[in-house]
Amino acid sequence: MSTTDHQRKVPIRAIIMILVALAIAFAGLGWHAVATRDSDPDSALHAQAAKLSATAPAAPSGASESAAPSSAPAAAPAACVQRGGASAAARAAVAEIKKAGVTVRGEVATWKGKAPRATVVYYGAGQENAAGRVAAAIDHGSSAAPRPAGAEQCAEGLVVVVVK
C-alpha cells in the first residue's frame, strides 16, 4: 500500500499547484478589470480620430492645387441631427452647427441605433474634414467617426448624434 499512497500524492500536489496558479491568474485578471472599468476604448478611439482629422497636415503642394476646385462644393455637406439623449441638447447643437455655416437638414429625429457615450459626427467618404469642423463647433466632447453600417439617415451628409 505504501507504493500506491506515494503515487497518489504526486498527482494531487500537481493538481493543487495548477489550481493555485489559476487562482493567482484570475485574481490578476480581476484586478485589471477593476482598474480599467471606467475606460471606454470607443470614446478614446473617437477622440483620437477627431484629433487627427482636426490637425491633419495639408496635402502636398501638387495635390492641393488639383484638390482645391473639387473640394469646394463638398466643403460644407449638410448635416442631419439625431437625438440620442435630451431634446434641448439636440436643439442647442443645431444652433451651433448653423453658426459654423453648415446646413441642417430636416427636423431633429431620434437615433435608431445604440446611442454612443458622447456626441458623435458620423461622416461618409471624403467628409472627414467637414465632420471634424462640425465636431469642433459642437465642442461638448464630441468627436468624428466613420459612418457605421446601417446608418442610412442623411445619405449624402453628416449624421450628428447628440447625446448630452
Side-chain angles (χ1 to χ4, degrees):
M1 281 205 170
S2 65
T3 309
T4 309
D5 290 338
H6 180 63
Q7 290 175 350
R8 288 185 185 164
K9 288 183 182 178
V10 174
I12 290 173
R13 287 181 189 163
I15 290 171
I16 290 172
M17 291 177 69
I18 290 172
L19 290 174
V20 169
L22 285 173
I24 292 170
F26 283 125
L29 287 173
W31 179 83
H32 176 70
V34 168
T36 60
R37 72 174 171 223
D38 292 333
S39 65
D40 180 22
D42 287 338
S43 66
L45 180 65
H46 293 312
Q48 185 63 25
K51 286 180 185 176
L52 289 175
S53 65
T55 60
S61 62
S64 65
E65 293 171 4
S66 63
S70 64
S71 66
C80 297
V81 178
Q82 304 282 316
R83 180 179 66 239
S87 298
R91 287 191 300 270
V94 167
E96 292 168 347
I97 293 169
K98 286 181 179 179
K99 283 182 189 175
V102 176
T103 304
V104 177
R105 274 195 218 159
E107 297 294 319
V108 175
T110 302
W111 177 249
K112 303 285 186 218
K114 181 183 175 190
R117 293 180 186 244
T119 300
V120 178
V121 180
Y122 292 117
Y123 58 85
Q127 298 174 334
E128 296 88 350
N129 290 335
R133 284 195 315 269
V134 171
I138 298 172
D139 190 42
H140 299 286
S142 60
S143 60
R147 184 186 304 265
E152 286 81 25
Q153 302 93 336
C154 205
E156 292 88 31
L158 303 172
V159 179
V160 181
V161 182
V162 181
V163 177
K164 294 183 181 180

